[in-house]
Amino acid sequence: MRTYVGHQQAVSAEDFVELALGTPVELWLGVEGETGEERAARLDAARDILADPEYNNPPDDVARIAAEVIEAHAPELFNVVSMARPARRRRSSQKGAAA
């Protein structure tokens, strides 16, 4: 199954989020190991984007709200735990059993 946002295909979850937000997801979430100065610059750029009148329409308001929620709850949202798959049961074959 293929997923499209507008006319562009999203081939990964990261692509989907970037196409949906209209900006790279790193702009909103940051990157591991960024300095305080890099974080301040990133957030300043994000504020500039959100303040742009062209960006300020209802679909983008949803993106802004989603980004704020992601930033506020990122640790809980990305705390993913793998679930163990249940063991597959093998059917025992009763073929050839004498009655």
Side-chain angles (χ1 to χ4, degrees):
M1 176 183 261
R2 295 182 181 171
T3 303
Y4 289 87
V5 176
H7 297 291
Q8 297 198 12
Q9 182 180 1
V11 294
S12 68
E14 291 81 15
D15 282 350
F16 182 81
V17 172
E18 184 171 335
L19 290 169
L21 291 174
T23 59
V25 70
E26 292 83 10
L27 176 67
W28 309 107
L29 299 179
V31 293
E32 188 174 329
E34 74 181 353
T35 65
E37 187 175 295
E38 291 168 332
R39 183 176 192 275
R42 176 179 57 78
L43 293 176
D44 192 39
R47 280 188 211 94
D48 287 346
I49 289 171
L50 294 174
D52 184 346
E54 189 175 307
Y55 191 81
N56 198 7
N57 63 41
D60 293 326
D61 286 345
V62 172
R64 179 183 51 79
I65 292 166
E68 288 173 359
V69 169
I70 289 169
E71 185 177 23
H73 300 284
E76 298 89 6
L77 289 173
F78 296 103
N79 186 12
V80 179
V81 177
S82 296
M83 301 292 289
R85 287 185 153 189
R88 289 180 58 177
R89 292 170 151 197
R90 290 190 170 170
R91 294 184 187 183
S92 60
S93 178
Q94 297 295 328
K95 291 182 183 177

Short mmCIF file of all heavy atoms in Angstrom, two decimals, residues 11-36:
data_model
loop_
_atom_site.label_atom_id
_atom_site.label_comp_id
_atom_site.label_asym_id
_atom_site.label_seq_id
_atom_site.Cartn_x
_atom_site.Cartn_y
_atom_site.Cartn_z
N VAL A 11 7.40 7.35 1.85
CA VAL A 11 7.90 5.98 1.87
C VAL A 11 8.28 5.51 3.27
O VAL A 11 8.61 4.35 3.46
CB VAL A 11 9.09 5.78 0.90
CG1 VAL A 11 8.65 5.97 -0.54
CG2 VAL A 11 10.22 6.74 1.23
N SER A 12 8.24 6.44 4.23
CA SER A 12 8.53 6.06 5.61
C SER A 12 7.68 6.92 6.54
O SER A 12 7.08 7.91 6.11
CB SER A 12 10.02 6.28 5.93
OG SER A 12 10.31 7.67 5.92
N ALA A 13 7.66 6.56 7.79
CA ALA A 13 6.91 7.35 8.78
C ALA A 13 7.48 8.76 8.85
O ALA A 13 6.74 9.74 8.96
CB ALA A 13 6.95 6.68 10.14
N GLU A 14 8.81 8.88 8.76
CA GLU A 14 9.45 10.19 8.81
C GLU A 14 9.03 11.05 7.62
O GLU A 14 8.76 12.23 7.76
CB GLU A 14 10.97 10.06 8.86
CG GLU A 14 11.50 9.48 10.15
CD GLU A 14 11.40 7.95 10.21
OE1 GLU A 14 11.19 7.30 9.16
OE2 GLU A 14 11.51 7.42 11.32
N ASP A 15 8.96 10.43 6.43
CA ASP A 15 8.50 11.15 5.24
C ASP A 15 7.07 11.64 5.44
O ASP A 15 6.74 12.77 5.08
CB ASP A 15 8.52 10.25 4.00
CG ASP A 15 9.90 10.06 3.42
OD1 ASP A 15 10.83 10.76 3.85
OD2 ASP A 15 10.03 9.21 2.52
N PHE A 16 6.23 10.77 5.97
CA PHE A 16 4.82 11.13 6.16
C PHE A 16 4.70 12.34 7.08
O PHE A 16 3.99 13.30 6.78
CB PHE A 16 4.05 9.95 6.73
CG PHE A 16 2.59 10.24 6.91
CD1 PHE A 16 1.72 10.16 5.83
CD2 PHE A 16 2.09 10.62 8.13
CE1 PHE A 16 0.38 10.45 5.99
CE2 PHE A 16 0.74 10.91 8.30
CZ PHE A 16 -0.11 10.82 7.21
N VAL A 17 5.41 12.32 8.19
CA VAL A 17 5.34 13.43 9.14
C VAL A 17 5.88 14.70 8.50
O VAL A 17 5.27 15.77 8.62
CB VAL A 17 6.10 13.10 10.44
CG1 VAL A 17 6.20 14.31 11.35
CG2 VAL A 17 5.42 11.95 11.17
N GLU A 18 7.00 14.60 7.79
CA GLU A 18 7.58 15.78 7.16
C GLU A 18 6.64 16.37 6.11
O GLU A 18 6.44 17.58 6.05
CB GLU A 18 8.92 15.44 6.52
CG GLU A 18 9.62 16.65 5.93
CD GLU A 18 11.05 16.35 5.50
OE1 GLU A 18 11.68 15.43 6.03
OE2 GLU A 18 11.53 17.09 4.61
N LEU A 19 6.03 15.52 5.31
CA LEU A 19 5.09 16.01 4.30
C LEU A 19 3.84 16.59 4.95
O LEU A 19 3.30 17.60 4.49
CB LEU A 19 4.72 14.88 3.33
CG LEU A 19 5.84 14.45 2.39
CD1 LEU A 19 5.46 13.15 1.68
CD2 LEU A 19 6.17 15.54 1.40
N ALA A 20 3.38 15.98 6.01
CA ALA A 20 2.18 16.48 6.69
C ALA A 20 2.44 17.83 7.37
O ALA A 20 1.60 18.72 7.32
CB ALA A 20 1.69 15.46 7.72
N LEU A 21 3.60 17.97 7.98
CA LEU A 21 3.94 19.22 8.66
C LEU A 21 4.42 20.30 7.69
O LEU A 21 4.31 21.48 7.97
CB LEU A 21 5.02 18.99 9.72
CG LEU A 21 4.63 18.18 10.94
CD1 LEU A 21 5.86 17.92 11.80
CD2 LEU A 21 3.54 18.87 11.74
N GLY A 22 4.97 19.88 6.57
CA GLY A 22 5.52 20.84 5.62
C GLY A 22 6.92 21.29 5.98
O GLY A 22 7.46 22.19 5.35
N THR A 23 7.50 20.69 6.98
CA THR A 23 8.85 21.01 7.43
C THR A 23 9.51 19.73 7.92
O THR A 23 8.82 18.77 8.28
CB THR A 23 8.85 22.02 8.59
OG1 THR A 23 8.12 21.47 9.67
CG2 THR A 23 8.24 23.35 8.19
N PRO A 24 10.82 19.71 7.98
CA PRO A 24 11.49 18.52 8.54
C PRO A 24 11.10 18.33 10.00
O PRO A 24 10.99 19.30 10.76
CB PRO A 24 12.98 18.84 8.42
CG PRO A 24 13.07 19.94 7.42
CD PRO A 24 11.79 20.69 7.50
N VAL A 25 10.88 17.11 10.40
CA VAL A 25 10.46 16.82 11.78
C VAL A 25 11.53 17.25 12.78
O VAL A 25 11.20 17.63 13.91
CB VAL A 25 10.10 15.33 11.93
CG1 VAL A 25 11.32 14.44 11.85
CG2 VAL A 25 9.33 15.09 13.20
N GLU A 26 12.80 17.26 12.37
CA GLU A 26 13.88 17.68 13.26
C GLU A 26 13.72 19.13 13.70
O GLU A 26 14.18 19.51 14.77
CB GLU A 26 15.25 17.50 12.59
CG GLU A 26 15.65 16.06 12.37
CD GLU A 26 15.05 15.45 11.11
OE1 GLU A 26 14.45 16.19 10.28
OE2 GLU A 26 15.16 14.23 10.96
N LEU A 27 13.06 19.95 12.86
CA LEU A 27 12.84 21.34 13.24
C LEU A 27 12.01 21.42 14.50
O LEU A 27 12.21 22.28 15.34
CB LEU A 27 12.13 22.09 12.10
CG LEU A 27 11.76 23.54 12.40
CD1 LEU A 27 13.02 24.39 12.55
CD2 LEU A 27 10.88 24.10 11.32
N TRP A 28 11.08 20.52 14.68
CA TRP A 28 10.17 20.56 15.82
C TRP A 28 10.68 19.73 16.99
O TRP A 28 10.48 20.07 18.14
CB TRP A 28 8.78 20.08 15.40
CG TRP A 28 8.30 20.80 14.19
CD1 TRP A 28 8.21 20.31 12.93
CD2 TRP A 28 7.90 22.17 14.11
NE1 TRP A 28 7.77 21.28 12.08
CE2 TRP A 28 7.57 22.42 12.77
CE3 TRP A 28 7.78 23.19 15.04
CZ2 TRP A 28 7.12 23.67 12.34
CZ3 TRP A 28 7.34 24.43 14.60
CH2 TRP A 28 7.02 24.66 13.28
N LEU A 29 11.36 18.63 16.69
CA LEU A 29 11.80 17.72 17.76
C LEU A 29 13.26 17.88 18.14
O LEU A 29 13.66 17.43 19.21
CB LEU A 29 11.56 16.27 17.34
CG LEU A 29 10.11 15.88 17.08
CD1 LEU A 29 10.03 14.42 16.66
CD2 LEU A 29 9.25 16.14 18.29
N GLY A 30 14.03 18.49 17.26
CA GLY A 30 15.46 18.61 17.53
C GLY A 30 16.19 17.34 17.16
O GLY A 30 15.60 16.38 16.66
N VAL A 31 17.48 17.35 17.41
CA VAL A 31 18.30 16.18 17.14
C VAL A 31 19.09 15.84 18.39
O VAL A 31 19.37 16.71 19.22
CB VAL A 31 19.26 16.42 15.94
CG1 VAL A 31 18.49 16.57 14.65
CG2 VAL A 31 20.14 17.62 16.17
N GLU A 32 19.44 14.60 18.50
CA GLU A 32 20.19 14.14 19.68
C GLU A 32 21.53 14.85 19.74
O GLU A 32 22.23 15.00 18.74
CB GLU A 32 20.41 12.63 19.58
CG GLU A 32 21.00 12.04 20.84
CD GLU A 32 21.07 10.53 20.77
OE1 GLU A 32 20.20 9.92 20.12
OE2 GLU A 32 21.99 9.98 21.39
N GLY A 33 21.86 15.34 20.92
CA GLY A 33 23.15 15.97 21.14
C GLY A 33 23.23 17.43 20.73
O GLY A 33 24.32 17.99 20.72
N GLU A 34 22.10 18.06 20.39
CA GLU A 34 22.18 19.47 19.99
C GLU A 34 22.53 20.33 21.21
O GLU A 34 22.13 20.02 22.33
CB GLU A 34 20.88 19.94 19.33
CG GLU A 34 19.71 20.16 20.23
CD GLU A 34 18.46 20.62 19.50
OE1 GLU A 34 18.51 20.90 18.30
OE2 GLU A 34 17.41 20.68 20.15
N THR A 35 23.27 21.39 20.96
CA THR A 35 23.66 22.29 22.04
C THR A 35 22.51 23.22 22.37
O THR A 35 21.54 23.32 21.61
CB THR A 35 24.88 23.13 21.63
OG1 THR A 35 24.49 24.00 20.55
CG2 THR A 35 26.06 22.25 21.21
N GLY A 36 22.62 23.92 23.47
CA GLY A 36 21.60 24.89 23.84
C GLY A 36 21.47 25.99 22.79
O GLY A 36 20.37 26.45 22.49
#
